[in-house]
Amino acid sequence: MADKFKNTYRIPPARWQDWDYGSNAAYFVTVCTAHRERFFGEISDGRMRLSETGKTVQVEWLKTPGLRPDMNIMLGEYVVMPNHFHGIIVISENRYNVKGGGVETRCIASLQMKKN
């Protein structure tokens, strides 16, 4: 762990280096606020009360499939907490991750690229 960035030690990334993160699979996503500030709301009486920023996080998460229809995305469970967000996103087969460079056409036929 000798690597430094701006004179601060860095930890190695938690991402698996041998995995293509564009692959069709389910992914567990966590986003934390800077310095663990409670930007997204507060827990009161055992319930999460979203701030305006927390409401924006929720709305934008729910918009994700519509923003990238070409990625064939489905959303799983999610939760907005005071200082972080957890969500499951499923990237299904799409034109960017079809093996062999083909383009899937709604499971009817596959168009394959010619090999040179």
Side-chain angles (χ1 to χ4, degrees):
M1 190 166 91
D3 294 339
K4 285 189 174 183
F5 176 73
K6 294 187 178 180
N7 209 30
T8 303
Y9 284 102
R10 299 178 64 187
I11 61 169
R15 298 179 77 171
W16 183 26
Q17 299 302 312
D18 294 334
W19 179 257
D20 174 5
Y21 283 87
S23 297
N24 51 322
Y27 297 91
F28 182 76
V29 177
T30 299
V31 178
C32 298
T33 61
H35 311 291
R36 301 284 189 177
E37 292 285 335
R38 295 176 176 246
F39 291 127
F40 301 154
E42 295 290 332
I43 296 177
S44 174
D45 297 324
R47 296 192 61 216
M48 179 61 193
R49 312 273 185 208
L50 295 176
S51 66
E52 287 305 310
T53 303
K55 290 174 186 175
T56 299
V57 168
Q58 181 171 326
V59 166
E60 293 302 316
W61 173 256
L62 295 172
K63 283 185 188 177
T64 302
L67 293 172
R68 291 304 309 262
D70 55 333
M71 294 294 295
N72 199 12
I73 292 172
M74 295 182 305
L75 300 179
E77 297 294 320
Y78 71 95
V79 62
V80 181
M81 299 299 291
N83 61 10
H84 65 285
F85 167 87
H86 295 297
I88 297 173
I89 188 167
V90 180
I91 300 174
S92 298
E93 196 168 272
N94 61 67
R95 68 182 181 174
Y96 304 108
N97 66 14
V98 173
K99 303 242 186 293
V103 176
E104 193 64 31
T105 55
R106 302 202 185 268
C107 302
I108 298 168
S110 291
L111 304 174
Q112 301 298 320
M113 293 175 59
K114 290 183 180 181
K115 294 181 181 176
N116 294 336

